[in-house]
């Protein structure tokens, strides 16, 4: 049975994922080592869609949550994914943010933008 070990890149914790072929699982794979469902989904995508729309989170200041979900407007080649996620992890935005607002224009010159996947309200307590 094939096992693939990947570091989860969805959040800075970086859980080590063990992705195993599993014919009885709906996706054809099972994932261990993940601390949350986002890691499981990431692990499955890593082996089923090596080039894809990239999703992640950027730091959010002055918002009602600490991180803003973002996604690319097009497919990112697999060999550029890590660089893009490093940029996500070092990007900080300030609420309010509208859904679909461009957060990073033309990331790495790939011809795709990174946009807000949801709106972020300003934290009224601040
Ligand atoms: S599995 Fe969950 S907690 Fe672990 S790195 Fe991925 S997103 Fe973060």
């Amino acid at each position: 049975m094939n096992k693939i070990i990947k570091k989860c890149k969805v959040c800075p914790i970086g859980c080590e994922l063990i992705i195993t072929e599993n014919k009885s699982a709906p996706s054809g794979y099972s994932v261990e080592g993940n601390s949350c469902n986002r890691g499981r989904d990431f692990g499955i995508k890593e082996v089923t869609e090596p080039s894809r729309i990239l999703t992640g989170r950027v730091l959010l200041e002055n918002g009602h949550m600490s991180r803003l979900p973002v996604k690319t407007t097009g497919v990112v080649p697999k060999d550029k994914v890590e660089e893009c996620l490093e940029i996500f992890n070092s990007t900080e935005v300030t609420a309010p943010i509208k859904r679909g607002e461009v957060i990073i224009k033309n990331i790495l010159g790939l011809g795709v933008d990174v946009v807000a996947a949801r709106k972020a309200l300003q934290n009224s307590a601040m």
Side-chain angles (χ1 to χ4, degrees):
M1 187 173 286
N2 283 340
K3 279 191 179 184
I4 299 163
I5 297 176
K6 293 263 179 192
K7 187 173 172 181
C8 179
K9 296 176 181 134
V10 176
C11 88
I13 294 172
C15 296
E16 189 172 276
L17 308 176
I18 302 163
I19 307 151
T20 312
E21 286 182 22
N22 178 354
K23 288 186 172 49
S24 60
S27 64
Y29 293 91
S30 59
V31 179
E32 296 170 81
N34 54 307
S35 296
C36 70
N37 288 341
R38 290 184 297 144
R40 180 201 59 208
D41 296 345
F42 175 86
I44 291 167
K45 277 189 181 175
E46 276 293 287
V47 295
T48 57
E49 299 172 46
S51 179
R52 62 182 188 276
I53 301 286
L54 195 58
T55 61
R57 286 164 190 258
V58 299
L59 284 170
L60 178 67
E61 282 294 316
N62 198 34
H64 65 296
M65 52 193 173
S66 60
R67 289 185 166 261
L68 174 73
V70 295
K71 62 180 181 181
T72 55
T73 55
V75 170
V76 170
K78 187 170 170 50
D79 64 345
K80 297 289 181 189
V81 165
E82 194 149 328
E83 255 181 288
C84 287
L85 290 171
E86 281 173 16
I87 294 171
F88 285 12
N89 286 335
S90 62
T91 299
E92 190 172 316
V93 294
T94 303
I97 302 278
K98 293 182 195 138
R99 184 182 173 150
E101 191 172 324
V102 175
I103 304 299
I104 304 166
K105 184 88 182 153
N106 193 19
I107 190 166
L108 294 175
L110 296 171
V112 300
D113 296 334
V114 178
V115 299
R118 59 175 290 189
K119 72 178 176 183
L121 302 174
Q122 196 166 6
N123 188 348
S124 56
M126 296 180 85

